[in-house]
Amino acid sequence: MIVSLREITDDNRDAALALRVEAEQERFVGSVRDALADAAKFPHAQPWYRAVYADEELVGFVMLSWNVEPQPPDVIGPWFLWKLLVDRGYQGRGYGAEALRQVAHLVRAEGASELLTSYVPLDGGPAGFYQRLGFVPTGDLDGNGEVIVRLAL
């Protein structure tokens, strides 16, 4: 399978909005609809988002703040992974990890030295996923009490 990041257009918007995680994961990651609403609400966070495809199948969504001036606690950056979601029917196949590798490659090419993200520090959350990919805690929390982690690029 070839994983690619593609713009969200009128042709794939409904499919992107239909992406869902498992019910027990909803406390860790919101919906694509919520992410797009946040993107519209916080344009100063320079939202950049893409649909994640495995070959021609839409399997996930990724959004980040793209080279933004940090304004803690609301806007973290300059490069902040705001959302990574893989649909419940496609999890465990490496699509999220590959999408994240591609995001890291893109932001590195733009001159970034690190990629930041955050997670809810509860059992069953994504801490292990990010750790396996090389993210380490910064020692800081975001405005919602989430642990901020960084990936050196």
Side-chain angles (χ1 to χ4, degrees):
M1 289 262 167
I2 296 175
V3 175
S4 60
L5 306 178
R6 302 182 193 173
E7 286 190 49
I8 293 182
T9 66
D10 289 342
D11 292 334
N12 65 4
R13 184 174 316 277
D14 287 343
L17 291 171
L19 295 168
R20 296 288 180 265
V21 295
E22 296 290 352
E24 62 270 11
Q25 295 171 324
E26 290 175 356
R27 62 187 173 151
F28 302 112
V29 61
S31 70
V32 173
R33 184 173 307 283
D34 290 344
L36 295 177
D38 285 344
K41 184 177 176 181
F42 300 104
H44 58 285
Q46 301 292 351
W48 179 95
Y49 49 87
R50 296 292 185 268
V52 178
Y53 279 80
D55 290 334
E56 295 305 312
E57 190 74 29
L58 197 157
V59 300
F61 175 84
V62 63
M63 184 166 88
L64 56 146
S65 290
W66 191 269
N67 200 15
V68 67
E69 181 69 32
Q71 300 170 27
D74 297 323
V75 178
I76 301 170
W79 305 93
F80 183 78
L81 178 66
W82 204 344
K83 168 117 28 227
L84 176 61
L85 178 152
V86 175
D87 186 81
R88 60 188 172 209
Y90 298 98
Q91 293 180 5
R93 301 181 193 181
Y95 300 143
E98 179 56 28
L100 193 48
R101 284 185 198 95
Q102 290 185 27
V103 164
H105 177 77
L106 289 169
V107 300
R108 185 183 309 111
E110 292 291 320
S113 60
E114 67 180 10
L115 176 63
L116 301 170
T117 194
S118 65
Y119 62 83
V120 176
L122 296 174
D123 288 342
F129 170 80
Y130 289 119
Q131 183 180 22
R132 286 189 299 279
L133 293 174
F135 283 83
V136 296
T138 64
D140 295 323
L141 301 176
D142 74 1
N144 296 316
E146 295 186 12
V147 175
I148 299 175
V149 292
R150 69 181 289 276
L151 175 66
L153 304 174

